[in-house]
């Protein structure tokens, strides 16, 4: 593993790489409340397949990239960081993989910059237009998704969310990682249990532009969406509806009995999905 810092715009980001420098570049975007360490197992497998993986501690998670204004965490800024990473590393294009919030950034990036990303593998969170359609539906599936997404209301409350998550030695924050083992939780818990880091991470929720995401255009690049049946945050209706928002080659991969934390619990299956998607255009 190669660790370094990269300057993107006015900020400095922490990043790690694995695999051959000459391999197809794959950018890995983590979600909340995790850091790029969530990709370690998957990255190792991808590197063994000859891919060059680049995992970034994204805006707010990198100490050198932590603006205080909520507006600076709008998804457009997060997408700019990913494109800026490619520019900083002199990469004309890359394959894109995102989990949880990283998937949200990846969906937006794939729509806005199809010339910079060769393929997309989105993990856990489906295309946002389809997600919001289910969320607003007056159906049992819509009600189910609203219950699953209710936590977002708390996360958008400035200060209160931090108080709740950090109370009692950050017990509620720790519980978000269930059912992961302690060894998988510690790297993220150590970072996010610090209030400045947690506030920056929660600012992603506070800067949500629901109208923009609900009208997000179709993804035209080859795409794989990976969803797990025990995901507490995303129901089946939103997951299966993802296909209607991808006009390029598409695959839906369902993992039975796996929780929301797919990169931690199913790195072999996830790595296989990424490799297959990458090789679909590289060969």
């Amino acid at each position: 593993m190669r660790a370094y810092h990269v300057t993107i715009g006015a900020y400095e980001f922490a990043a790690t790489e694995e695999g051959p420098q000459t391999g197809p570049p794959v950018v890995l975007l983590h979600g909340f409340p995790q850091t790029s360490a969530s990709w370690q197992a998957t990255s190792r497998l991808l590197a063994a397949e000859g891919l060059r993986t680049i995992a970034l501690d994204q805006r707010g998670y990198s100490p050198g990239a932590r603006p205080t204004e909520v507006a600076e965490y709008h998804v457009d800024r997060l997408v700019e960081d990913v494109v800026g990473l490619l520019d900083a590393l002199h990469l004309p294009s890359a394959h894109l993989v995102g989990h949880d919030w990283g998937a949200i950034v990846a969906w937006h990036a794939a729509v806005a910059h199809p010339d910079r990303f060769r393929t997309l593998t989105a993990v856990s969170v489906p295309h946002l237009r389809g997600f919001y359609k289910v969320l607003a539906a007056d159906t049992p599936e819509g009600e189910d998704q609203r219950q699953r997404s209710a936590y977002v209301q708390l996360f958008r409350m400035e200060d209160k969310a931090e108080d709740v998550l950090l109370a009692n030695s950050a017990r509620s924050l720790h519980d978000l990682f269930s059912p992961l083992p302690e060894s998988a939780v510690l790297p993220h818990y150590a970072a996010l249990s610090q209030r400045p880091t947690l506030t920056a991470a929660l600012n992603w929720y506070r800067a949500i532009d629901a109208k923009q995401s609900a009208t997000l255009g179709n993804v035209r690049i080859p795409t794989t969406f990976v969803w797990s049946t025990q995901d507490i945050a995303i129901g089946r209706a939103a997951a299966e509806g993802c296909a209607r928002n991808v006009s390029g080659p598409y695959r839906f991969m369902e993992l039975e009995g796996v929780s929301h934390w797919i990169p931690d619990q199913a790195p072999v299956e996830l790595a296989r999905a990424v490799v297959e998607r990458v090789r679909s255009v590289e060969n």
Side-chain angles (χ1 to χ4, degrees), residues 164-183:
V164 170
L165 291 173
L166 296 177
N168 300 317
S169 300
R171 172 50 54 186
S172 293
L173 174 64
H174 188 280
D175 289 347
L176 293 177
F177 294 100
S178 178
L180 295 184
E182 194 68 16
S183 59

Side-chain angles (χ1 to χ4, degrees), residues 224-228 251-255 269-270 272-273:
T224 296
F225 175 52
V226 184
W227 175 75
S228 45
R251 180 192 177 197
F252 174 49
M253 180 177 181
E254 179 178 323
L255 299 178
E269 293 85 349
L270 178 54
R272 186 181 304 122

Side-chain angles (χ1 to χ4, degrees), residues 11 59-60 65-73 158 196 199-200 203 206:
Y11 302 114
R59 180 173 294 226
R66 191 171 292 159
T68 57
E69 301 83 1
V70 170
E72 288 300 307
Y73 295 89
E158 296 188 35
T199 294
N203 281 343
R206 293 160 184 163

Side-chain angles (χ1 to χ4, degrees), residues 119 121 222-224 249-251 273-281:
T119 68
T121 302
T223 297
T224 296
Y250 178 75
R251 180 192 177 197
V274 174
V275 169
E276 289 177 357
R277 178 48 67 200
V278 169
R279 288 180 177 166
S280 73
V281 299

Side-chain angles (χ1 to χ4, degrees), residues 4-225:
Y4 57 89
H5 287 84
V6 57
T7 300
I8 303 172
Y11 302 114
E12 185 177 70
F13 293 78
T16 58
E17 287 195 22
E18 290 193 71
Q21 289 282 311
T22 56
V26 179
V27 174
L28 306 172
L29 303 177
H30 65 82
F32 176 89
Q34 294 187 297
T35 67
S36 62
S38 63
W39 290 112
Q40 287 179 358
T42 306
S43 179
R44 197 157 40 243
L45 294 167
L46 296 178
E49 293 289 338
L51 305 184
R52 175 189 176 186
T53 66
I54 305 157
L56 187 72
D57 277 339
Q58 295 187 80
R59 180 173 294 226
Y61 294 81
S62 286
R66 191 171 292 159
T68 57
E69 301 83 1
V70 170
E72 288 300 307
Y73 295 89
H74 187 280
V75 69
D76 288 349
R77 304 287 84 74
L78 307 176
V79 169
E80 288 172 3
D81 292 339
V82 183
V83 175
L85 174 68
L86 300 192
D87 293 339
L89 298 180
H90 307 290
L91 295 172
S93 64
H95 302 274
L96 191 56
V97 181
H99 172 247
D100 185 80
W101 253 107
I104 295 175
V105 176
W107 284 113
H108 281 271
V111 171
H113 301 279
D115 57 320
R116 302 302 301 270
F117 302 106
R118 301 202 65 197
T119 68
L120 167 65
T121 302
V123 188
S124 297
V125 177
H127 189 287
L128 275 299
R129 190 174 71 212
F131 169 81
Y132 276 104
K133 183 176 181 179
V134 173
L135 192 67
D138 185 18
T139 62
E141 293 79 9
E143 179 58 29
D144 173 70
Q145 188 57 60
R146 286 188 289 276
Q147 292 180 15
R148 292 173 182 267
S149 301
Y151 68 92
V152 174
Q153 297 178 24
L154 170 63
F155 287 1
R156 286 173 58 82
M157 296 180 183
E158 296 188 35
D159 293 325
K160 182 177 180 179
E162 287 90 332
D163 292 343
V164 170
L165 291 173
L166 296 177
N168 300 317
S169 300
R171 172 50 54 186
S172 293
L173 174 64
H174 188 280
D175 289 347
L176 293 177
F177 294 100
S178 178
L180 295 184
E182 194 68 16
S183 59
V185 173
L186 282 177
H188 319 302
Y189 179 76
L192 274 295
S193 61
Q194 304 301 310
R195 194 177 184 103
T197 312
L198 180 60
T199 294
L202 289 169
N203 281 343
W204 288 42
Y205 289 92
R206 293 160 184 163
I208 285 174
D209 186 340
K211 183 177 180 180
Q212 178 183 3
S213 292
T215 57
L216 187 66
N218 278 9
V219 171
R220 303 195 305 272
I221 64 175
T223 297
T224 296
F225 175 52

